[in-house]
Amino acid sequence: MNRPERARVRLRKPVRGSTAVALCAVALGAPWGAPWGAATAQQSSQSGESADAFVERINSELEALTHEQAMLEWVRATYITDDTMALAAKASEEALAFQSRSVEEAKRFNGQSLSGPTARAIELIKLGSSMPAPNDAELRAELARIAVELDSMYGKGAYCPDGPESCRSVGELESTLATSRDFETLVDAWQGWRTISPPMKPLYERFAELTAMGARELGYDNLGDLWKAGYDMPPATFEQEAERLWSQVTPLYEALHCHVRARLGEVYGTDRVPQDGPIPAHLLGNMWSQQWNNIYDLLEPYPGAANLDVTGALVEQNYTAVQMVERAESFFTSLGMPELPATFWSRSMLTKPRDRDVVCHASAWPIDGKEDVRIKMCIEPTEEFLTTIYHELGHIYYFLVYNEKPMLFQDGAHDGFHEAIGDTIVLSMTPDYLQKIGLVGAVSQSREAVINQQMKMALEKIAFLPFGKLVDQWRWDVFSGKTPPERYNEDWWALRTRYQGIAPPVTRSEKDFDPGAKYHVPGNTPYTRYFLSFILQFQFHKALCDVNNADVPLHACSIYGDKEAGRRFMDMLALGRSVPWPDAFEKLTGQRRMDASAIIDYFAPLMGWLEEQNAGRSCGW
């Protein structure tokens, strides 16, 4: 997904788009209730080092350590061998040791009255890691090895039904899910990819045990509570907020689900797609059923109205990977943002090498906290890849705009912000914009054309929302012990049915480990960020459109070329994680609370149409 995406005290990590595994998984979350005080930092009675000096030292050490580790991780991700895996594991172990030591040292300043920035930095350090290690060298080394092994197992995964010569990568299997309309072929591809993940299950169980030890040492009941604490509110309050946001968009999702199920029943037969139950997961055009835009051809409301064949145009115009990235860059520069540094072009991996295993999952990398920024992708000339590039460059420009901040503050206001930046730009890739850059012809403004455009967007944006929420809901339950290992798969599918209204096409059991077939689980990437980003991007889009396009319907607005909107955007980005996220959020939007009303506004034409189509149908599952 183009989503794919976390100051945390953290060692520098890539941010994973598409729809971010921590390089060493020590990205720290933001605190709730950081003690902001006016007094000058007091001297540490233990070492004589003041809190201000301590933070300055940690920033300096962090910069050096993250740069070295980022380079090792880059090599591991782009040259997967036993040697690069071992080097990455060693670097991860060192990073975890640094994180543990920093947390212990930060405790010296408990109860002291500190200056605002110093207080926030120390709280970020103490909050903990997305992969907290026990304060034990042997256990820390074990956790580092497991993390690298899980990530690499996914990267090297392939479905080989008839031996090595028949192996198919996840990319090839994803292509089958996206393009085939043969029921049994889809079953085979869907089930085949999930053969890679059962060996991960014992490793993941041990991973959960070790991170639970580390989380408890940091003062949290479990790793899930630590993750939820990164949103400037108590963990329980955040979980309630996530559920509130989901409830706002549930009616729109359920209306879309009802219509899609009816159409799939017409295509495959209601014996295969019952009209009163979940949709078979393999029929939605995506390996994880997280976005449904690949089956738009089956769902197009008005065939031929506003045919936006961006993939066809990219192929016809012989777009290369470099040209696709240049096209995305031109949008950001039209807003007044700088051109990408020369090293971006010489050091990024834009296409899949033919001679080695790599992790193709799209990601954005801040290597040195300054100008060495890169993306890692295996780009093909398709619309999906093009929008993913815009998403990844959103991360890159966030890195570049906040890189003057101290290392501890070089991150998104919260992790959902980082994922929302590029996708906010994607919302401005309107038909008019695509026409301006020569990727579509004359654009119709008819009602039929608008409904087609909105359906295509909803199959990406609205279809994703329940999946974006449930991945971490499953992990929170695993980390808290609510879901024990003997129910990993059962509870995974219970959540997928509850939130998404889908079901597996074949019988699953606890011999399977279907969560591991989604990159972000073995990669230990918190996923709620993506759910939040899909809420935030519409709020950001509305705020930016209100600058100079308030009279344009939200779904038709593009900020391409709007330098005042770009300036306001960059003013927010420049804050990084230096202030609580509501402060950064308010700077752009004038609001201090996440809210899904902008999504409802954006999709108002489609919602009205869906209500008409679903009249007389039995919706729900």
Side-chain angles (χ1 to χ4, degrees):
M1 162 201 140
N2 42 17
R3 13 244 31 192
E5 45 167 240
R6 267 160 250 351
R8 302 176 291 219
V9 154
R10 54 115 191 247
L11 292 186
R12 181 65 58 180
K13 62 164 182 38
V15 179
R16 311 290 182 178
S18 293
T19 251
V21 97
L23 269 184
C24 58
V26 297
L28 302 189
W32 173 77
W36 294 86
T40 303
Q42 302 298 310
Q43 295 293 313
S44 163
S45 60
Q46 178 175 334
S47 67
E49 182 182 42
S50 71
D52 291 341
F54 167 71
V55 168
E56 183 177 358
R57 173 170 61 82
I58 292 297
N59 274 315
S60 177
E61 293 176 358
L62 195 56
E63 183 173 350
L65 184 59
T66 56
H67 189 193
E68 179 181 0
Q69 189 194 20
M71 291 188 292
L72 286 170
E73 267 296 327
W74 176 266
V75 173
R76 198 273 308 171
T78 57
Y79 294 81
I80 302 177
T81 68
D82 290 341
D83 290 339
T84 60
M85 287 169 57
L87 290 170
K90 181 64 175 176
S92 180
E93 182 183 346
E94 293 174 356
L96 290 170
F98 174 83
Q99 186 263 336
S100 295
R101 185 173 67 252
S102 299
V103 169
E104 286 302 311
E105 291 182 14
K107 292 177 182 177
R108 303 197 313 257
F109 305 101
N110 287 351
Q112 294 190 17
S113 180
L114 308 173
S115 66
T118 295
R120 184 163 180 81
I122 288 177
E123 287 301 313
L124 291 175
I125 293 171
K126 291 192 295 184
L127 182 64
S129 158
S130 65
M131 192 181 83
N135 193 21
D136 175 278
E138 185 175 340
L139 295 178
R140 192 164 55 231
E142 181 185 4
L143 179 58
R145 288 193 301 271
I146 288 174
V148 170
E149 186 173 356
L150 284 169
D151 189 82
S152 296
M153 286 172 72
Y154 187 97
K156 294 192 293 185
Y159 173 42
C160 308
D162 300 309
E165 297 302 318
S166 67
C167 287
R168 298 165 67 193
S169 68
V170 64
E172 294 169 313
L173 295 167
E174 283 185 88
S175 179
T176 297
L177 268 292
T179 60
S180 175
R181 301 296 177 252
D182 179 77
F183 193 92
E184 296 303 331
T185 298
L186 294 171
V187 170
D188 179 69
W190 186 95
Q191 188 174 12
W193 177 243
R194 284 157 179 78
T195 61
I196 74 152
S197 51
M200 298 177 185
K201 185 175 181 179
L203 289 173
Y204 197 79
E205 181 178 351
R206 181 58 174 161
F207 172 88
E209 292 172 351
L210 292 170
T211 54
M213 297 179 199
R216 285 193 293 270
E217 290 178 9
L218 293 170
Y220 295 89
D221 289 340
N222 57 72
L223 181 57
D225 278 358
L226 187 152
W227 285 3
K228 286 178 277 186
Y231 295 97
D232 294 302
M233 64 183 77
T237 302
F238 174 72
E239 193 162 358
Q240 293 168 2
E241 277 291 280
E243 196 65 32
R244 178 186 64 82
L245 293 169
W246 166 240
S247 70
Q248 286 185 277
V249 297
T250 298
L252 181 53
Y253 177 79
E254 290 181 345
L256 181 66
H257 180 282
C258 188
H259 179 67
V260 169
R261 182 177 63 189
R263 287 290 297 122
L264 291 176
E266 295 172 9
V267 173
Y268 294 103
T270 55
D271 57 329
R272 286 174 160 172
V273 188
Q275 296 300 291
D276 58 356
I279 298 173
H282 66 308
L283 300 181
L284 293 163
N286 177 274
M287 181 61 75
W288 306 277
S289 312
Q290 65 186 51
Q291 290 170 307
W292 306 346
N293 46 307
N294 286 324
I295 60 168
Y296 175 74
D297 61 303
L298 303 179
L299 303 167
E300 186 176 25
Y302 300 101
N307 181 21
L308 305 178
D309 185 9
V310 174
T311 295
L314 292 169
V315 173
E316 183 180 352
Q317 297 178 36
N318 296 313
Y319 262 78
T320 65
V322 169
Q323 288 171 325
M324 290 170 69
V325 178
E326 289 174 336
R327 173 56 65 199
E329 178 194 28
S330 71
F331 196 117
F332 289 88
T333 57
S334 83
L335 301 177
M337 298 186 188
E339 293 184 353
L340 294 168
T343 52
F344 172 89
W345 299 102
S346 62
R347 298 174 184 176
S348 291
M349 187 190 86
L350 303 181
T351 56
K352 188 180 189 304
R354 297 181 179 181
D355 60 343
R356 62 185 188 269
D357 289 326
V358 300
V359 178
C360 273
H361 192 87
S363 53
W365 296 62
I367 297 293
D368 65 355
K370 295 183 175 65
E371 293 294 314
D372 188 350
V373 292
R374 312 175 191 180
I375 60 174
K376 175 183 62 58
M377 293 182 64
C378 300
I379 296 172
E380 300 288 344
T382 69
E383 181 179 9
E384 184 174 3
F385 273 101
L386 183 65
T387 57
T388 298
I389 294 166
Y390 281 67
H391 173 91
E392 298 304 336
L393 289 195
H395 292 303
I396 294 295
Y397 276 99
Y398 213 164
F399 300 150
L400 292 173
V401 173
Y402 64 47
N403 71 7
E404 295 300 319
K405 293 291 182 187
M407 286 290 289
L408 292 172
F409 296 152
Q410 288 190 25
D411 208 343
H414 68 52
D415 55 11
F417 277 62
H418 234 304
E419 301 302 332
I421 303 309
D423 282 355
T424 299
I425 301 301
V426 171
L427 292 177
S428 281
M429 294 175 68
T430 61
D432 284 345
Y433 165 74
L434 294 171
Q435 183 181 16
K436 284 181 182 178
I437 63 174
L439 288 179
V440 301
V443 178
S444 170
Q445 302 298 326
S446 68
R447 176 178 183 269
E448 290 79 8
V450 169
I451 296 302
N452 277 6
Q453 294 155 11
Q454 289 233 304
M455 175 62 77
K456 192 172 186 180
M457 181 69 80
L459 293 173
E460 178 187 347
K461 300 294 185 181
I462 303 305
F464 174 76
L465 289 167
F467 185 78
K469 183 176 187 311
L470 72 87
V471 174
D472 278 355
Q473 185 65 60
W474 178 82
R475 284 192 285 198
W476 295 342
D477 290 346
V478 167
F479 296 148
S480 70
K482 180 180 177 181
T483 291
E486 57 269 22
R487 287 212 319 267
Y488 275 1
N489 226 46
E490 177 186 349
D491 285 7
W492 172 255
W493 280 106
L495 287 170
R496 299 207 69 183
T497 300
R498 171 187 167 189
Y499 284 103
Q500 287 186 281
I502 67 169
V506 294
T507 301
R508 312 307 285 164
S509 74
E510 292 306 321
K511 292 181 181 179
D512 302 302
F513 183 54
D514 293 335
K518 175 61 181 171
Y519 172 77
H520 301 72
V521 173
N524 192 43
T525 306
Y527 209 76
T528 303
R529 65 186 58 196
Y530 303 114
F531 172 73
L532 297 177
S533 80
F534 274 49
I535 304 294
L536 289 170
Q537 63 192 251
F538 287 90
Q539 285 186 274
F540 291 162
H541 181 60
K542 185 178 188 308
L544 293 167
C545 287
D546 283 348
V547 175
N548 287 311
N549 293 278
D551 57 340
V552 177
L554 194 58
H555 64 269
C557 169
S558 177
I559 63 167
Y560 180 64
D562 189 338
K563 288 186 166 50
E564 176 59 20
R567 182 191 65 77
R568 296 191 188 188
F569 210 7
M570 285 190 287
D571 285 348
M572 182 187 75
L573 302 182
L575 293 172
R577 197 68 181 268
S578 64
V579 298
W581 71 262
D583 294 347
F585 191 58
E586 186 177 28
K587 192 172 186 66
L588 176 62
T589 68
Q591 301 171 336
R592 297 184 62 82
R593 192 183 194 193
M594 294 179 284
D595 184 79
S597 59
I599 296 180
I600 306 305
D601 184 7
Y602 186 98
F603 286 104
L606 180 66
M607 187 61 175
W609 184 86
L610 287 171
E611 289 173 351
E612 295 172 3
Q613 300 301 307
N614 290 333
R617 291 172 176 165
S618 177
C619 297
W621 54 89

